[in-house]
Amino acid sequence: MRRHLPTQRAALLIAVLVLGGCGDASAEGVPLGAASSATGPESGGLTAERAGVVLSAFDQADSAASSTGDIEGLRLQETSPALDFSVAAVRRAAHHQRQQPAFRHVNPGFALPTGAASCFLVVATLQLSGAELAPTVVSQFVESDGTWKLSHNVRVSQEAVIGARGVGGTVAGPAEQLLDVASRQALAGEVFARTIGSSTGNRALVDPGALLDEQFAAGWSLYQQQLAGTGVQVDREFTGAQWGPCAASTSAGTVTFLTLYATDVLVPAPDGAATVTLPPESFDLIALGRTEPASGSRIEVSRVETFLLLIPESGSGATVLGLNDTAIAIDIS
């Protein structure tokens, strides 16, 4: 699990200047039977007590794997997209020769489905060893191959903590049942457009905010300008969207995860050199674990972006409560 996150502004500025999981880390996730034993078999749904057992076991195993940089241990506790961010965080920690702090979730609140459960949401304070700050995080766990694994996780921005805390004690349901197809498609398109400082023409779908517009989109603009200064043109292409399987219905609206997939295409500017080069100190190359420069006539960097959204039933637009972004693959030609 990605625990010690820099501010989004700092992370994006790093990208501009240099053109991110307790018990036995080998435990194979949290067995469903371990959670089920917390209540009798007559209980058809997942209770807060049972979800707490899952969360506690995850903290023990994933914290150990993160702190030691054990990527295979992380794979036993997490699945994508959360795993993508955790692996990138491990690689960045190794690159900077530092150890990620141990962690545990405290004061958790759960959004649980009724009946048989294959996912649930949790909001909690993340206690980091040796750190004064204790951020609020929202996570999603899913059933995978007979175990519970972390699938989504974001640190909530300070101004969004109240909205995120509304997740605790609510009922969770599939996102497709709370939002119709057209609404999901339109919202995903607008969120992506806003990440690159643009819009689909309906800015009202997403409320303006410092995290999305003033930090993330602004960082993208700075990245483009920096590369342009070296004779490189970069464009970000939208390649897909995926909604989290669980969404919480709160008094303020629906809280759910949206994952976007995109590709950064880097090519020489019309008046630039014949090739494009990214140094090994590049924020993306560090996340990918590359220690050699990437150079070619065209470089494509695939990336994943996760957003925690609060979507009111009517009236104002959706609010971005938190987000993550990382490169996940590179193709050089």
Side-chain angles (χ1 to χ4, degrees), residues 123-125 134-138 155-167 320-321:
V123 57
T125 298
T136 297
V137 295
V138 175
R155 175 176 176 171
V156 176
S157 62
Q158 190 60 42
E159 61 271 19
V161 169
I162 295 178
R165 278 289 174 185
V167 168
V320 175
L321 305 181

Side-chain angles (χ1 to χ4, degrees), residues 7-300:
T7 64
Q8 292 300 324
R9 181 181 296 276
L12 289 167
L13 286 179
I14 289 172
V16 171
L17 292 173
V18 301
L19 313 320
C22 293
D24 182 359
S26 65
E28 295 188 2
V30 184
L32 292 180
S36 298
S37 64
T39 60
E42 72 279 358
S43 176
L46 182 68
T47 65
E49 181 183 12
R50 291 163 65 181
V53 171
V54 172
L55 183 63
S56 179
F58 168 82
D59 279 353
Q60 189 179 19
D62 204 74
S63 178
S66 294
S67 296
T68 59
D70 180 7
I71 291 179
E72 290 308 311
L74 290 173
R75 295 185 195 281
L76 297 176
Q77 307 302 324
E78 306 183 22
T79 187
S80 294
L83 179 62
D84 299 318
F85 300 114
S86 293
V87 170
V90 164
R91 290 169 174 164
R92 290 186 184 116
H95 177 84
H96 296 293
Q97 298 182 331
R98 61 176 175 80
Q99 183 180 32
Q100 297 193 90
F103 72 90
R104 70 186 183 94
H105 293 81
V106 296
N107 300 321
F110 301 98
L112 306 173
T114 57
S118 60
C119 62
F120 67 89
L121 298 172
V122 55
V123 57
T125 298
L126 196 65
Q127 190 174 80
L128 304 165
S129 65
E132 295 183 6
L133 297 179
T136 297
V137 295
V138 175
S139 305
Q140 179 178 265
F141 285 83
V142 298
E143 185 276 324
S144 175
D145 299 325
T147 64
W148 287 106
K149 291 187 177 181
L150 179 75
S151 63
H152 297 69
N153 170 266
V154 300
R155 175 176 176 171
V156 176
S157 62
Q158 190 60 42
E159 61 271 19
V161 169
I162 295 178
R165 278 289 174 185
V167 168
T170 62
V171 174
E176 59 266 24
Q177 291 184 8
L178 299 175
L179 296 168
D180 60 66
V181 175
S183 296
R184 296 200 305 272
Q185 291 177 338
L187 187 52
E190 179 62 20
V191 170
F192 172 75
R194 297 284 283 280
T195 66
I196 58 174
S198 183
S199 174
T200 59
N202 192 353
R203 294 187 64 86
L205 285 174
V206 181
D207 282 348
L211 186 61
L212 179 62
D213 300 296
E214 298 175 21
Q215 296 179 27
F216 197 89
W220 165 248
S221 178
L222 288 173
Y223 184 51
Q224 286 183 305
Q225 293 173 29
Q226 178 71 13
L227 287 177
T230 64
V232 176
Q233 177 179 303
V234 58
D235 292 302
R236 180 163 293 174
E237 301 175 352
F238 175 65
T239 58
Q242 186 177 50
W243 292 85
C246 265
S249 182
T250 75
S251 59
T254 298
V255 175
T256 189
F257 282 100
L258 168 64
T259 300
L260 300 181
Y261 296 92
T263 300
D264 290 348
V265 180
L266 290 76
V267 296
D271 56 349
T275 60
V276 176
T277 300
L278 289 177
E281 294 80 16
S282 161
F283 194 68
D284 286 341
L285 292 194
I286 293 173
L288 294 171
R290 285 183 64 105
T291 58
E292 299 294 329
S295 183
S297 60
R298 178 186 177 96
I299 296 177
E300 295 187 4

